[in-house]
Amino acid sequence: SNPGGDDFQLLDVATGPGYVLSYALAQSTQQQKRAGTLTGLDFSRGMLNIAKSNLRRDSWLGPGGVSLVEGDAQKLPFPDSSFDAVVCNYGILHLGRPEAFLFEAFRCLRPGGRLSFSVWAAPPATEGFEILLQAVAAAGNTAVVLPEGPPFFRFAARDEAQTSMTEAGFSEVKFAQVEQTWETVRGPGELYDVFIQGTARTRALLEGQTPGETEAIKAHVSRSFSSRYAGSHLRMPSVVTSGIKVA
């Protein structure tokens, strides 16, 4: 959905550093439209503080511009029919009850409103995940206890996404793979660091390895990366699912 008009209400769930909010505001400015009211929700106060800092740095945090709310994506603290659009950028991967979020998003949307959420495509399409997960399977421990959440690539499957959205009440469900590349990951060490520093459940998988397993995983990542991807960008497509609340 394109923010536009004083009455437009957008909710970004699992807003994290606030990147979606910044993008929505920037798009509104570029198109010379008013952004309406934008709300970012996250369960982590620390992430909300980072979002506030980023938005302030980009001069977006002002009176009536953005509201940041601490809360649970599976029990949204908003009245029925509050928003014209709900978005969730890779956040559904980390929810213990993703179906609850879908039902809550439907409840909070106004009739005609749209939910859109993104997840990573499954390997081998996502080459970074393929390299790392193959390394863990070959040289590490795949039985590490991870934070609560759905199977990581569950919503990368069209049938699963369609079924879950339909059961939550959504109509006109769309499913699209969006091509992306990681252009700044130039070596195996950088790839490993991306997953350690920039993910949640994959980081937990890596942190659950013994020192010996960690070294073996890093060596496997290095061999795989160097033989297959040296000098090229990693393909890391996402999958975006969306649907409309008809009534």
Side-chain angles (χ1 to χ4, degrees):
S1 297
N2 254 343
D6 292 349
D7 295 332
F8 185 89
Q9 302 281 333
L10 169 72
L11 172 63
D12 178 27
V13 176
T15 193
Y19 295 146
V20 170
L21 299 175
S22 288
Y23 181 80
L25 287 160
Q27 287 294 104
S28 297
T29 300
Q30 183 178 349
Q31 298 170 16
Q32 297 183 331
K33 295 180 179 180
R34 290 185 62 85
T37 300
L38 309 183
T39 302
L41 177 136
D42 204 285
F43 79 97
S44 168
R45 183 171 299 179
M47 291 308 301
L48 291 174
N49 288 336
I50 293 172
K52 182 182 293 185
S53 176
N54 288 340
L55 289 161
R56 183 179 290 114
R57 178 199 62 203
D58 296 335
S59 302
W60 295 128
L61 201 61
V66 179
S67 174
L68 297 175
V69 178
E70 185 177 350
D72 185 352
Q74 299 157 130
K75 191 176 181 180
L76 295 173
F78 307 106
D80 295 357
S81 303
S82 296
F83 299 97
D84 298 288
V86 176
V87 296
C88 185
N89 191 36
Y90 300 106
I92 198 169
L93 303 170
H94 307 296
L95 302 179
R97 296 179 295 115
E99 298 85 358
F101 160 65
L102 297 178
F103 277 93
E104 279 289 273
F106 185 87
R107 177 186 65 80
C108 289
L109 280 168
R110 295 169 176 169
R114 181 182 293 273
L115 166 68
S116 298
F117 66 87
S118 61
V119 297
W120 294 111
T126 40
E127 294 171 339
F129 278 112
E130 181 181 34
I131 293 171
L132 188 82
L133 296 179
Q134 284 184 351
V136 173
N141 175 17
T142 61
V144 173
V145 177
L146 301 179
E148 187 179 15
F152 196 79
F153 299 106
R154 170 182 169 184
F155 292 104
R158 180 186 297 271
D159 289 348
E160 180 62 40
Q162 174 79 48
T163 298
S164 297
M165 289 285 281
T166 301
E167 289 178 350
F170 289 96
S171 303
E172 301 180 36
V173 177
K174 298 180 180 180
F175 180 94
Q177 182 163 302
V178 180
E179 289 300 321
Q180 302 177 128
T181 57
W182 280 0
E183 299 184 359
T184 59
V185 177
R186 301 291 182 174
E190 291 181 2
L191 177 62
Y192 186 90
D193 288 345
V194 163
F195 284 106
I196 277 285
Q197 298 170 10
T199 65
R201 296 177 71 196
T202 307
R203 180 180 67 236
L205 174 64
L206 296 176
E207 289 178 342
Q209 308 297 318
T210 66
E213 290 165 345
T214 296
E215 290 307 310
I217 290 168
K218 288 181 176 180
H220 195 286
V221 167
S222 181
R223 290 192 299 272
S224 180
F225 188 98
S226 299
S227 65
R228 298 169 60 187
Y229 300 103
S232 64
H233 302 318
L234 290 175
R235 182 170 173 248
M236 289 292 290
S238 64
V239 172
V240 177
T241 300
S242 66
I244 293 176
K245 178 178 180 177
V246 173

